[in-house]
């Protein structure tokens, strides 16, 4: 079945540091890949997505590239801010079969950014 | 545009009691999802509706969990009787349709209901 594995957390950085959160996946077919973010006390929000190999999703300074050869979708940001402190989830949605668009999530990575 | 609404936001019950959660999706969204998020884990799909029909309930513990979506709009998720391991955040999400498979159709999440079973 489908699965998503994220790097272990929590991750603690200083403001303006470079961020990488690793994500790898296992899926049948050709999944779409997502990063969701959950700020304290709020619901999940879509951060970015990529629907086919070599696509790059980007939003709010975050980027992730769909790498089919390495089955990865690592999240990066060049300079993090305190306001980026949140839990980040990598997820996939399988295009075929009976998945009907359901999301399979990784376990989440807690990011804390200090001033 | 109003987002996905859920209530209550928090619920504390004793084990073996019953509990119900309510979700109102974004207007016009045909597909509705219930996810369970246990502390320290990612959300896991419990059930998915397309309009008022169930399209995936393979991970729903049907001996104690039930869900309905009457008239294809609001949905209710019920647990009866609750167990300690049901303590989690229950997330409702909606999307325009499931037809655009492969994630081309964004899911919008509600704030969740945090359930504590004592």
């Amino acid at each position: 079945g489908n699965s998503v594995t994220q790097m272990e957390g929590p991750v603690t950085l200083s403001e303006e540091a470079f961020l990488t959160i690793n994500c790898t996946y296992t899926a049948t077919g050709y999944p779409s890949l997502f990063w969701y973010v959950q700020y304290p006390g709020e619901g999940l929000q879509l951060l970015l997505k990529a629907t086919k190999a070599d696509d790059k999703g980007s939003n709010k300074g975050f980027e992730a590239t769909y790498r089919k050869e390495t089955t990865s979708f690592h999240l990066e940001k060049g300079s993090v801010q305190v306001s980026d402190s949140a839990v980040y989830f990598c997820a996939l949605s399988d295009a075929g079969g009976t998945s009907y668009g359901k999301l399979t999530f990784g376990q989440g990575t807690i990011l804390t950014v200090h001033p | 545009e109003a987002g996905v609404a859920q209530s209550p936001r928090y619920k504390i019950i004793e084990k073996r009691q019953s509990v119900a959660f309510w979700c109102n999706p974004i207007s016009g969204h045909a597909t509705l999802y219930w996810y369970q998020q246990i502390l320290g884990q990612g959300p896991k799909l419990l059930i998915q509706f397309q309009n008022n029909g169930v399209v995936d309930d393979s991970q729903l513990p049907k001996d104690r969990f039930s869900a309905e979506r009457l008239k294809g709009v609001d949905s209710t998720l019920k647990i009866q009787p609750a167990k300690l391991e049901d303590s989690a955040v229950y997330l409702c999400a909606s999307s325009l349709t499931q037809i655009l498979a492969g994630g081309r159709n964004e899911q919008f999440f509600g704030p969740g209901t945090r359930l504590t079973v004592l």
Side-chain angles (χ1 to χ4, degrees), chain A residues 32-112:
Chain A
S32 291
L33 302 174
F34 306 82
W35 278 99
Y36 277 83
V37 60
Q38 190 170 35
Y39 297 104
E42 298 184 17
L44 282 167
Q45 301 174 27
L46 179 64
L47 180 60
L48 54 84
K49 68 180 181 182
T51 58
K52 61 182 187 297
D54 300 324
D55 268 3
K56 177 186 284 188
S58 62
N59 186 25
K60 299 181 181 180
F62 291 88
E63 294 183 338
T65 300
Y66 189 143
R67 301 288 188 199
K68 190 169 187 294
E69 62 277 13
T70 55
T71 62
S72 65
F73 193 55
H74 305 320
L75 182 70
E76 297 182 336
K77 186 174 185 182
S79 175
V80 293
Q81 305 300 311
V82 172
S83 57
D84 293 327
S85 298
V87 184
Y88 292 81
F89 292 93
C90 185
L92 70 81
S93 178
D94 206 329
T98 59
S99 296
Y100 297 109
K102 87 175 188 186
L103 291 168
T104 299
F105 287 89
Q107 73 271 31
T109 301
I110 300 172
L111 172 64
T112 303

Side-chain angles (χ1 to χ4, degrees), chain B residues 23-71:
Chain B
C23 173
N24 185 19
I26 292 172
S27 177
H29 279 195
T31 310
L32 185 147
Y33 310 80
W34 282 102
Y35 290 87
Q36 180 192 56
Q37 185 179 9
I38 293 172
L39 187 65
Q41 300 180 20
K44 181 187 77 173
L45 181 72
L46 291 175
I47 188 167
Q48 177 180 345
F49 292 93
Q50 176 72 6
N51 296 310
N52 60 350
V54 175
V55 296
D56 186 349
D57 63 356
S58 57
Q59 301 212 68
L60 186 74
K62 299 180 186 64
D63 57 334
R64 298 184 300 106
F65 286 64
S66 64
E68 60 182 10
R69 190 182 184 198
L70 301 176
K71 301 180 182 178

Side-chain angles (χ1 to χ4, degrees), chain B residues 79-96:
Chain B
I79 308 175
Q80 179 179 9
K83 292 185 175 181
L84 296 177
E85 59 261 35
D86 298 332
S87 294
V89 176
Y90 290 85
L91 298 167
C92 180
S94 71
S95 63
L96 271 173

Side-chain angles (χ1 to χ4, degrees), chain B residues 8 10-22 63-66 76-84 86 90 113-118:
Chain B
Y10 305 91
K11 190 74 177 178
I12 301 174
I13 61 173
E14 303 273 338
K15 62 183 178 184
R16 291 188 289 274
Q17 286 187 322
S18 302
V19 65
F21 312 127
W22 173 82
D63 57 334
R64 298 184 300 106
F65 286 64
S66 64
T76 303
L77 176 70
K78 297 180 181 177
I79 308 175
Q80 179 179 9
K83 292 185 175 181
L84 296 177
D86 298 332
Y90 290 85
T113 297
R114 182 177 298 276
L115 172 67
T116 302
V117 182
L118 303 176

